[in-house]
Amino acid sequence: LKSTVRGTQRRMRNVIDVLEAMRERWPNLRLVFDRSYGGGLIAEQFEEDHGLVVIDHSQGVPFELASMMFAELVDQHGIDHDGDPGGTDELSQHVLACVARRSRTSSSRWRIDQPDDGRPIDGADALVMAVNMATTAPVERAFNLEDYKIGFIEP
């Protein structure tokens, strides 16, 4: 979400207004956050105060795999972007600014990362996570009390 005034952050109320409008248009709206990378409190507020569904997406190994899958989709022309065809819109600039960095834990993986000149890539990070969540089937499993080693106390 972009502020109307350059260099300022949107107030939370404005963000919520935009998200509510998006939820009206897309009733199954999901938000993707990495709670461990600074999004925890905001994600919690979206869930508890506004009833929004937040899906966790780590920026560790899952982000590396998502980066590689995204690059493959781009290479195979598997993604359509309705922005400026000349690549001057903000999202295109974020994607074009990305560099590939080798994983710290595996020589066969890499991830998108910010270039050394500091150009922003936040939109690209969000796009990679969103595309990953949209193209990956959710793992749905019924709640099983035995998984949590919880027992009932007899009266």
Side-chain angles (χ1 to χ4, degrees), residues 12-47:
M12 186 60 130
R13 179 178 56 235
N14 296 346
V15 171
I16 295 301
D17 290 344
V18 170
L19 290 172
E20 289 298 337
M22 291 171 71
R23 184 167 37 185
E24 236 177 75
R25 182 169 180 182
W26 301 290
N28 294 326
L29 174 73
R30 304 288 184 263
L31 304 175
V32 180
F33 270 81
D34 181 355
R35 292 176 198 259
S36 65
Y37 211 74
L41 293 175
I42 295 170
E44 199 172 292
Q45 185 177 6
F46 285 158
E47 289 174 322

Side-chain angles (χ1 to χ4, degrees), residues 1-142:
L1 300 171
K2 186 177 174 187
S3 175
T4 54
V5 180
R6 193 159 187 77
T8 63
Q9 292 183 333
R10 278 196 183 268
R11 298 176 59 105
M12 186 60 130
R13 179 178 56 235
N14 296 346
V15 171
I16 295 301
D17 290 344
V18 170
L19 290 172
E20 289 298 337
M22 291 171 71
R23 184 167 37 185
E24 236 177 75
R25 182 169 180 182
W26 301 290
N28 294 326
L29 174 73
R30 304 288 184 263
L31 304 175
V32 180
F33 270 81
D34 181 355
R35 292 176 198 259
S36 65
Y37 211 74
L41 293 175
I42 295 170
E44 199 172 292
Q45 185 177 6
F46 285 158
E47 289 174 322
E48 293 177 3
D49 297 346
H50 304 285
L52 293 162
V53 177
V54 177
I55 299 170
D56 293 312
H57 192 297
S58 166
Q59 289 197 34
V61 172
F63 188 75
E64 292 171 357
L65 298 172
S67 293
M68 293 167 44
M69 188 237 351
F70 179 78
E72 202 171 305
L73 286 170
V74 169
D75 184 57
Q76 296 173 2
H77 303 280
I79 293 182
D80 289 325
H81 172 40
D82 64 357
D84 177 18
T88 59
D89 62 283
E90 190 172 17
L91 180 58
S92 293
Q93 292 303 309
H94 283 219
V95 171
L96 293 171
C98 291
V99 297
R101 297 243 194 256
R102 188 170 303 281
S103 170
R104 294 182 189 130
T105 59
S106 170
S107 61
S108 63
R109 289 193 313 263
W110 58 269
R111 62 182 289 128
I112 64 167
D113 205 359
Q114 191 169 29
D116 292 337
D117 65 12
R119 283 178 289 162
I121 65 159
D122 300 351
D125 283 346
L127 181 60
V128 164
M129 290 189 284
V131 167
N132 186 43
M133 297 313 300
T135 58
T136 305
V139 177
E140 294 198 24
R141 191 171 150 230

